[in-house]
Amino acid sequence: PALQNAPRFKSTKSRAPLAFALDIDGVLLQGSSVIPAAKRALDILQGQNPLGIKIPFILMTNGGGVTEEARCKKLSATLGIEIAPDQLMQAHTVLRPLAEKYSDHSILVLGGKGNKGREVAQSYGFKNVHIPLDILAWNPTIWPFHQLTEEEKSFVQSTDFSKTPIHAIFVLHDPRNWSLDIQIMTDVLRSPHGVVGSEYVPTTRRYSHSQSAIQLAFCNPDLIWRNEYHVPRFGQGAFKEAFQAVFRAATGRNHPFTQFGKPHEVTYKFGEKMLHDLIYKPVSEGDIMENEKDIPPSRIYMIGDNPASDIAGANAASWSSILVRTGVYDPAHAPPAHQPTYEAEDVEEAVKWAFERET
Ligand code: G3P
Ligand code: MG
């Protein structure tokens, strides 16, 4: 019976827990292909290790575009082990606590395929969620180069945007129609109080700050990321550069924004809380609560493929960092811009090295 109530993860010996944060793209997956070392690394964390115990880990990705539940279902099937939603942090997971603040306000979300961005925001509790295609449906002349497909007509929501002030724009994942999204973002951000139907002079060099009361946030700063293609692909960071270049050409300045995602501190703080809850939160009534101790940051191992995001963020958070060669980073090009604690061929070697070092 005691075992039934045992916490999900026992800490190693009497020491504080050892924990891992695994990046996804370029570490576990390349696009839809599973990196061979990933399964072996996850087996070690699931208990196939000298201590014979499960080691707590989360997946910490700048990716996203679907709900955590949907992504976990797909990841569990692809990786062949159960990944629970409380083990997955996507680029936009940090937005979940913000839903309350916007309960009476309209927001515009970008990114993700079709209606998926709206579904993510609604799954966090945001109530009045719009997507750029809703605005196109309201007035097709706002961007004459895209006609709604039959599928898009099935999920766009009809709203009179001349009466709907938008209070925040969240770029959750990679936009699929950069030109439409940049036009709509600019219309919203430059319209007084975010009422997209109102007049403004499109190329005013002067840009009054009062109009920037609308929060603009990007959830993933990655300029590049790695899928099956042999050269890294442009990520959401590239979209941000494109938006700011157009906005600057029209107004003479960048638009202020908030940046979430690795390497930013807010993301790593969120990851520490997830790991803490994973280890200490009772899973069911009557669970034995391990004597709660903070996890020393150095006992959290970030395993990533992108020095600019994974390694930079882990180093800044005083975590241990391991850079692998199966993604963006290629030792043949140049030394890493951010020095990891250790450099490994792949995620299996990384987990084995950390395990030997810490137990
Ligand atoms: O869009 C995902 C990409 O930016 C990188 O994802 O898993 O390597 O943080 P990840
Ligand atoms: Mg990666």
Side-chain angles (χ1 to χ4, degrees):
L3 263 188
Q4 275 158 14
N5 289 333
R8 278 158 81 178
F9 302 101
K10 295 208 55 67
S11 49
T12 42
K13 297 182 197 139
S14 58
R15 293 185 63 181
L18 166 62
F20 287 84
L22 306 180
D23 177 35
I24 296 179
D25 292 308
V27 174
L28 302 176
L29 303 178
Q30 283 179 354
S32 52
S33 317
V34 180
I35 291 171
K39 184 89 184 60
R40 298 192 294 268
L42 292 168
D43 286 344
I44 294 170
L45 296 180
Q46 290 287 84
Q48 290 179 29
N49 58 60
L51 295 179
I53 60 170
K54 286 174 77 169
I55 303 296
F57 71 90
I58 57 172
L59 302 188
M60 202 165 151
T61 175
N62 274 349
V66 293
T67 63
E68 280 69 23
E69 290 71 19
R71 189 75 191 277
C72 280
K73 215 172 269 160
K74 189 143 184 271
L75 284 166
S76 300
T78 309
L79 296 168
I81 79 154
E82 179 65 25
I83 303 284
D86 64 356
Q87 284 181 277
L88 174 65
M89 187 202 303
Q90 300 187 105
H92 39 69
T93 310
V94 290
L95 296 182
R96 185 180 285 132
L98 292 181
E100 180 63 31
K101 177 181 166 190
Y102 289 96
S103 52
D104 300 330
H105 295 315
S106 284
I107 63 167
L108 181 71
V109 295
L110 275 66
K113 193 164 174 290
N115 201 39
K116 296 286 179 214
R118 187 188 336 254
E119 288 170 14
V120 170
Q122 290 173 331
S123 77
Y124 293 162
F126 287 94
K127 297 276 177 292
N128 314 298
V129 185
H130 305 288
I131 60 175
L133 290 174
D134 294 341
I135 298 177
L136 184 67
W138 164 71
N139 184 340
T141 62
I142 202 165
W143 187 253
F145 305 117
H146 181 80
Q147 279 69 43
L148 288 175
T149 64
E150 287 315 307
E151 196 214 348
E152 289 167 344
K153 286 176 189 164
S154 71
F155 57 69
V156 288
Q157 291 181 2
S158 69
T159 302
D160 178 354
F161 286 96
S162 66
K163 300 189 175 71
T164 307
I166 288 174
H167 289 78
I169 299 180
F170 293 116
V171 185
L172 302 179
H173 191 245
D174 303 65
R176 285 356 190 223
N177 186 333
W178 286 24
S179 52
L180 166 72
D181 286 352
I182 287 174
Q183 176 66 75
I184 298 275
M185 278 172 85
T186 304
D187 284 328
V188 170
L189 291 168
R190 302 208 60 207
S191 299
H193 315 299
V195 178
V196 70
S198 38
E199 287 302 312
Y200 69 89
V201 177
T203 54
T204 321
R205 304 298 287 177
R206 287 183 321 290
Y207 172 57
S208 69
H209 243 285
S210 63
Q211 288 173 326
S212 67
I214 299 164
Q215 184 185 6
L216 170 61
F218 293 91
C219 293
N220 167 9
D222 288 354
L223 182 65
I224 55 172
W225 65 289
R226 182 67 195 278
N227 67 352
E228 297 95 334
Y229 193 73
H230 62 287
V231 177
R233 304 296 74 205
F234 282 140
Q236 191 186 127
F239 171 75
K240 179 178 72 180
E241 294 302 322
F243 160 73
Q244 290 288 22
V246 169
F247 196 88
R248 199 167 44 247
T251 65
R253 55 178 299 114
N254 281 342
H255 192 282
F257 64 93
T258 306
Q259 183 65 65
F260 296 110
K262 298 172 289 185
H264 298 278
E265 183 188 14
V266 59
T267 301
Y268 286 78
K269 287 281 175 236
F270 200 92
E272 284 177 5
K273 170 122 183 24
M274 282 181 71
L275 281 166
H276 187 274
D277 289 351
L278 205 57
I279 296 167
Y280 295 113
K281 197 170 74 179
V283 174
S284 56
E285 282 308 304
D287 258 358
I288 304 164
M289 280 295 289
E290 288 245 333
N291 47 333
E292 289 209 27
K293 4 182 206 307
D294 277 343
I295 309 169
S298 65
R299 295 265 286 172
I300 301 177
Y301 281 77
M302 175 86 226
I303 301 178
D305 69 299
N306 188 337
S309 65
D310 308 308
I311 307 306
N315 291 352
S318 305
W319 294 8
S320 298
S321 57
I322 303 180
L323 177 60
V324 295
R325 304 185 190 112
T326 48
V328 162
Y329 168 64
D330 178 343
H333 291 168
H338 298 270
Q339 198 54 42
T341 311
Y342 182 67
E343 190 176 314
E345 196 51 43
D346 57 37
V347 63
E348 180 188 16
E349 184 197 325
V351 166
K352 282 180 175 168
W353 182 81
F355 208 82
E356 271 140 41
R357 185 177 193 236
E358 291 291 347
T359 59

mmCIF file with all atom_site columns, all heavy atoms in Angstrom, residues 23-25 61-63 174 220 222 225 262 305, ligand 1:
data_model
loop_
_atom_site.group_PDB
_atom_site.id
_atom_site.type_symbol
_atom_site.label_atom_id
_atom_site.label_alt_id
_atom_site.label_comp_id
_atom_site.label_asym_id
_atom_site.label_entity_id
_atom_site.label_seq_id
_atom_site.pdbx_PDB_ins_code
_atom_site.Cartn_x
_atom_site.Cartn_y
_atom_site.Cartn_z
_atom_site.occupancy
_atom_site.B_iso_or_equiv
_atom_site.pdbx_formal_charge
_atom_site.auth_seq_id
_atom_site.auth_comp_id
_atom_site.auth_asym_id
_atom_site.auth_atom_id
_atom_site.pdbx_PDB_model_num
ATOM   1   N N   . ASP A 1 23  ? 14.972 19.507 -24.216 1.00 0.00 ? 23  ASP A N   1
ATOM   2   C CA  . ASP A 1 23  ? 14.477 20.202 -25.409 1.00 0.00 ? 23  ASP A CA  1
ATOM   3   C C   . ASP A 1 23  ? 13.918 19.140 -26.350 1.00 0.00 ? 23  ASP A C   1
ATOM   4   O O   . ASP A 1 23  ? 14.261 17.957 -26.240 1.00 0.00 ? 23  ASP A O   1
ATOM   5   C CB  . ASP A 1 23  ? 15.674 20.946 -26.044 1.00 0.00 ? 23  ASP A CB  1
ATOM   6   C CG  . ASP A 1 23  ? 15.298 21.648 -27.326 1.00 0.00 ? 23  ASP A CG  1
ATOM   7   O OD1 . ASP A 1 23  ? 14.170 22.144 -27.412 1.00 0.00 ? 23  ASP A OD1 1
ATOM   8   O OD2 . ASP A 1 23  ? 16.130 21.686 -28.238 1.00 0.00 ? 23  ASP A OD2 1
ATOM   9   N N   . ILE A 1 24  ? 13.019 19.559 -27.252 1.00 0.00 ? 24  ILE A N   1
ATOM   10  C CA  . ILE A 1 24  ? 12.426 18.572 -28.177 1.00 0.00 ? 24  ILE A CA  1
ATOM   11  C C   . ILE A 1 24  ? 13.094 18.601 -29.558 1.00 0.00 ? 24  ILE A C   1
ATOM   12  O O   . ILE A 1 24  ? 13.777 17.652 -29.928 1.00 0.00 ? 24  ILE A O   1
ATOM   13  C CB  . ILE A 1 24  ? 10.904 18.804 -28.328 1.00 0.00 ? 24  ILE A CB  1
ATOM   14  C CG1 . ILE A 1 24  ? 10.192 18.567 -26.981 1.00 0.00 ? 24  ILE A CG1 1
ATOM   15  C CG2 . ILE A 1 24  ? 10.327 17.884 -29.405 1.00 0.00 ? 24  ILE A CG2 1
ATOM   16  C CD1 . ILE A 1 24  ? 8.696  18.796 -27.020 1.00 0.00 ? 24  ILE A CD1 1
ATOM   17  N N   . ASP A 1 25  ? 12.888 19.721 -30.294 1.00 0.00 ? 25  ASP A N   1
ATOM   18  C CA  . ASP A 1 25  ? 13.432 19.756 -31.674 1.00 0.00 ? 25  ASP A CA  1
ATOM   19  C C   . ASP A 1 25  ? 14.956 19.792 -31.661 1.00 0.00 ? 25  ASP A C   1
ATOM   20  O O   . ASP A 1 25  ? 15.543 20.657 -31.030 1.00 0.00 ? 25  ASP A O   1
ATOM   21  C CB  . ASP A 1 25  ? 12.897 20.990 -32.412 1.00 0.00 ? 25  ASP A CB  1
ATOM   22  C CG  . ASP A 1 25  ? 11.405 20.874 -32.659 1.00 0.00 ? 25  ASP A CG  1
ATOM   23  O OD1 . ASP A 1 25  ? 10.977 19.839 -33.219 1.00 0.00 ? 25  ASP A OD1 1
ATOM   24  O OD2 . ASP A 1 25  ? 10.662 21.769 -32.250 1.00 0.00 ? 25  ASP A OD2 1
ATOM   25  N N   . THR A 1 61  ? 10.175 23.142 -24.620 1.00 0.00 ? 61  THR A N   1
ATOM   26  C CA  . THR A 1 61  ? 10.367 23.437 -26.033 1.00 0.00 ? 61  THR A CA  1
ATOM   27  C C   . THR A 1 61  ? 9.940  24.854 -26.386 1.00 0.00 ? 61  THR A C   1
ATOM   28  O O   . THR A 1 61  ? 9.009  25.387 -25.761 1.00 0.00 ? 61  THR A O   1
ATOM   29  C CB  . THR A 1 61  ? 9.560  22.455 -26.912 1.00 0.00 ? 61  THR A CB  1
ATOM   30  O OG1 . THR A 1 61  ? 9.675  22.829 -28.290 1.00 0.00 ? 61  THR A OG1 1
ATOM   31  C CG2 . THR A 1 61  ? 8.075  22.448 -26.528 1.00 0.00 ? 61  THR A CG2 1
ATOM   32  N N   . ASN A 1 62  ? 10.581 25.460 -27.369 1.00 0.00 ? 62  ASN A N   1
ATOM   33  C CA  . ASN A 1 62  ? 10.111 26.738 -27.907 1.00 0.00 ? 62  ASN A CA  1
ATOM   34  C C   . ASN A 1 62  ? 9.072  26.497 -28.990 1.00 0.00 ? 62  ASN A C   1
ATOM   35  O O   . ASN A 1 62  ? 8.598  27.414 -29.637 1.00 0.00 ? 62  ASN A O   1
ATOM   36  C CB  . ASN A 1 62  ? 11.281 27.556 -28.476 1.00 0.00 ? 62  ASN A CB  1
ATOM   37  C CG  . ASN A 1 62  ? 11.969 28.379 -27.387 1.00 0.00 ? 62  ASN A CG  1
ATOM   38  O OD1 . ASN A 1 62  ? 11.458 28.497 -26.272 1.00 0.00 ? 62  ASN A OD1 1
ATOM   39  N ND2 . ASN A 1 62  ? 13.123 28.927 -27.694 1.00 0.00 ? 62  ASN A ND2 1
ATOM   40  N N   . GLY A 1 63  ? 8.733  25.229 -29.156 1.00 0.00 ? 63  GLY A N   1
ATOM   41  C CA  . GLY A 1 63  ? 7.701  24.887 -30.132 1.00 0.00 ? 63  GLY A CA  1
ATOM   42  C C   . GLY A 1 63  ? 6.316  25.009 -29.510 1.00 0.00 ? 63  GLY A C   1
ATOM   43  O O   . GLY A 1 63  ? 6.183  25.457 -28.377 1.00 0.00 ? 63  GLY A O   1
ATOM   44  N N   . ASP A 1 174 ? 4.552  29.712 -34.883 1.00 0.00 ? 174 ASP A N   1
ATOM   45  C CA  . ASP A 1 174 ? 4.936  30.291 -36.170 1.00 0.00 ? 174 ASP A CA  1
ATOM   46  C C   . ASP A 1 174 ? 3.714  30.610 -37.022 1.00 0.00 ? 174 ASP A C   1
ATOM   47  O O   . ASP A 1 174 ? 2.957  29.695 -37.354 1.00 0.00 ? 174 ASP A O   1
ATOM   48  C CB  . ASP A 1 174 ? 5.852  29.314 -36.913 1.00 0.00 ? 174 ASP A CB  1
ATOM   49  C CG  . ASP A 1 174 ? 7.083  28.979 -36.073 1.00 0.00 ? 174 ASP A CG  1
ATOM   50  O OD1 . ASP A 1 174 ? 6.901  28.366 -35.009 1.00 0.00 ? 174 ASP A OD1 1
ATOM   51  O OD2 . ASP A 1 174 ? 8.189  29.387 -36.444 1.00 0.00 ? 174 ASP A OD2 1
ATOM   52  N N   . ASN A 1 220 ? 8.319  32.758 -28.760 1.00 0.00 ? 220 ASN A N   1
ATOM   53  C CA  . ASN A 1 220 ? 9.496  31.954 -29.131 1.00 0.00 ? 220 ASN A CA  1
ATOM   54  C C   . ASN A 1 220 ? 10.460 32.847 -29.909 1.00 0.00 ? 220 ASN A C   1
ATOM   55  O O   . ASN A 1 220 ? 10.120 33.308 -30.989 1.00 0.00 ? 220 ASN A O   1
ATOM   56  C CB  . ASN A 1 220 ? 9.033  30.769 -29.993 1.00 0.00 ? 220 ASN A CB  1
ATOM   57  C CG  . ASN A 1 220 ? 10.173 30.063 -30.686 1.00 0.00 ? 220 ASN A CG  1
ATOM   58  O OD1 . ASN A 1 220 ? 11.349 30.341 -30.407 1.00 0.00 ? 220 ASN A OD1 1
ATOM   59  N ND2 . ASN A 1 220 ? 9.847  29.156 -31.596 1.00 0.00 ? 220 ASN A ND2 1
ATOM   60  N N   . ASP A 1 222 ? 13.337 32.018 -31.249 1.00 0.00 ? 222 ASP A N   1
ATOM   61  C CA  . ASP A 1 222 ? 14.292 31.296 -32.114 1.00 0.00 ? 222 ASP A CA  1
ATOM   62  C C   . ASP A 1 222 ? 14.323 31.846 -33.527 1.00 0.00 ? 222 ASP A C   1
ATOM   63  O O   . ASP A 1 222 ? 13.319 31.821 -34.233 1.00 0.00 ? 222 ASP A O   1
ATOM   64  C CB  . ASP A 1 222 ? 13.927 29.801 -32.183 1.00 0.00 ? 222 ASP A CB  1
ATOM   65  C CG  . ASP A 1 222 ? 14.233 29.083 -30.888 1.00 0.00 ? 222 ASP A CG  1
ATOM   66  O OD1 . ASP A 1 222 ? 14.828 29.706 -29.979 1.00 0.00 ? 222 ASP A OD1 1
ATOM   67  O OD2 . ASP A 1 222 ? 13.858 27.906 -30.784 1.00 0.00 ? 222 ASP A OD2 1
ATOM   68  N N   . TRP A 1 225 ? 15.706 26.829 -36.170 1.00 0.00 ? 225 TRP A N   1
ATOM   69  C CA  . TRP A 1 225 ? 15.491 25.573 -35.421 1.00 0.00 ? 225 TRP A CA  1
ATOM   70  C C   . TRP A 1 225 ? 15.749 24.429 -36.400 1.00 0.00 ? 225 TRP A C   1
ATOM   71  O O   . TRP A 1 225 ? 15.931 24.637 -37.597 1.00 0.00 ? 225 TRP A O   1
ATOM   72  C CB  . TRP A 1 225 ? 14.078 25.522 -34.840 1.00 0.00 ? 225 TRP A CB  1
ATOM   73  C CG  . TRP A 1 225 ? 13.000 25.466 -35.891 1.00 0.00 ? 225 TRP A CG  1
ATOM   74  C CD1 . TRP A 1 225 ? 12.615 26.477 -36.722 1.00 0.00 ? 225 TRP A CD1 1
ATOM   75  C CD2 . TRP A 1 225 ? 12.190 24.348 -36.256 1.00 0.00 ? 225 TRP A CD2 1
ATOM   76  N NE1 . TRP A 1 225 ? 11.623 26.070 -37.582 1.00 0.00 ? 225 TRP A NE1 1
ATOM   77  C CE2 . TRP A 1 225 ? 11.330 24.755 -37.308 1.00 0.00 ? 225 TRP A CE2 1
ATOM   78  C CE3 . TRP A 1 225 ? 12.101 23.028 -35.792 1.00 0.00 ? 225 TRP A CE3 1
ATOM   79  C CZ2 . TRP A 1 225 ? 10.394 23.909 -37.905 1.00 0.00 ? 225 TRP A CZ2 1
ATOM   80  C CZ3 . TRP A 1 225 ? 11.162 22.175 -36.376 1.00 0.00 ? 225 TRP A CZ3 1
ATOM   81  C CH2 . TRP A 1 225 ? 10.325 22.621 -37.421 1.00 0.00 ? 225 TRP A CH2 1
ATOM   82  N N   . LYS A 1 262 ? 12.641 30.127 -24.273 1.00 0.00 ? 262 LYS A N   1
ATOM   83  C CA  . LYS A 1 262 ? 14.082 30.023 -23.947 1.00 0.00 ? 262 LYS A CA  1
ATOM   84  C C   . LYS A 1 262 ? 14.805 31.034 -24.819 1.00 0.00 ? 262 LYS A C   1
ATOM   85  O O   . LYS A 1 262 ? 14.451 31.205 -25.988 1.00 0.00 ? 262 LYS A O   1
ATOM   86  C CB  . LYS A 1 262 ? 14.571 28.602 -24.282 1.00 0.00 ? 262 LYS A CB  1
ATOM   87  C CG  . LYS A 1 262 ? 13.891 27.474 -23.500 1.00 0.00 ? 262 LYS A CG  1
ATOM   88  C CD  . LYS A 1 262 ? 14.310 26.099 -24.042 1.00 0.00 ? 262 LYS A CD  1
ATOM   89  C CE  . LYS A 1 262 ? 13.696 25.830 -25.396 1.00 0.00 ? 262 LYS A CE  1
ATOM   90  N NZ  . LYS A 1 262 ? 14.007 24.449 -25.871 1.00 0.00 ? 262 LYS A NZ  1
ATOM   91  N N   . ASP A 1 305 ? 19.892 21.700 -28.106 1.00 0.00 ? 305 ASP A N   1
ATOM   92  C CA  . ASP A 1 305 ? 20.711 21.716 -29.333 1.00 0.00 ? 305 ASP A CA  1
ATOM   93  C C   . ASP A 1 305 ? 21.028 23.129 -29.806 1.00 0.00 ? 305 ASP A C   1
ATOM   94  O O   . ASP A 1 305 ? 21.743 23.307 -30.806 1.00 0.00 ? 305 ASP A O   1
ATOM   95  C CB  . ASP A 1 305 ? 19.982 20.966 -30.462 1.00 0.00 ? 305 ASP A CB  1
ATOM   96  C CG  . ASP A 1 305 ? 18.751 21.744 -30.932 1.00 0.00 ? 305 ASP A CG  1
ATOM   97  O OD1 . ASP A 1 305 ? 17.852 21.967 -30.091 1.00 0.00 ? 305 ASP A OD1 1
ATOM   98  O OD2 . ASP A 1 305 ? 18.693 22.168 -32.091 1.00 0.00 ? 305 ASP A OD2 1
HETATM 99  O O1  . G3P B 2 .   ? 9.319  26.059 -33.317 1.00 0.00 ? 1   G3P B O1  1
HETATM 100 C C1  . G3P B 2 .   ? 10.136 25.221 -32.544 1.00 0.00 ? 1   G3P B C1  1
HETATM 101 C C2  . G3P B 2 .   ? 11.554 25.658 -32.621 1.00 0.00 ? 1   G3P B C2  1
HETATM 102 O O2  . G3P B 2 .   ? 11.655 27.046 -32.497 1.00 0.00 ? 1   G3P B O2  1
HETATM 103 C C3  . G3P B 2 .   ? 12.498 25.038 -31.594 1.00 0.00 ? 1   G3P B C3  1
HETATM 104 O O3  . G3P B 2 .   ? 11.905 24.162 -30.774 1.00 0.00 ? 1   G3P B O3  1
HETATM 105 O O4  . G3P B 2 .   ? 12.014 22.209 -29.219 1.00 0.00 ? 1   G3P B O4  1
HETATM 106 O O5  . G3P B 2 .   ? 14.160 23.106 -30.202 1.00 0.00 ? 1   G3P B O5  1
HETATM 107 O O6  . G3P B 2 .   ? 12.917 24.450 -28.466 1.00 0.00 ? 1   G3P B O6  1
HETATM 108 P P1  . G3P B 2 .   ? 12.800 23.453 -29.582 1.00 0.00 ? 1   G3P B P1  1
#
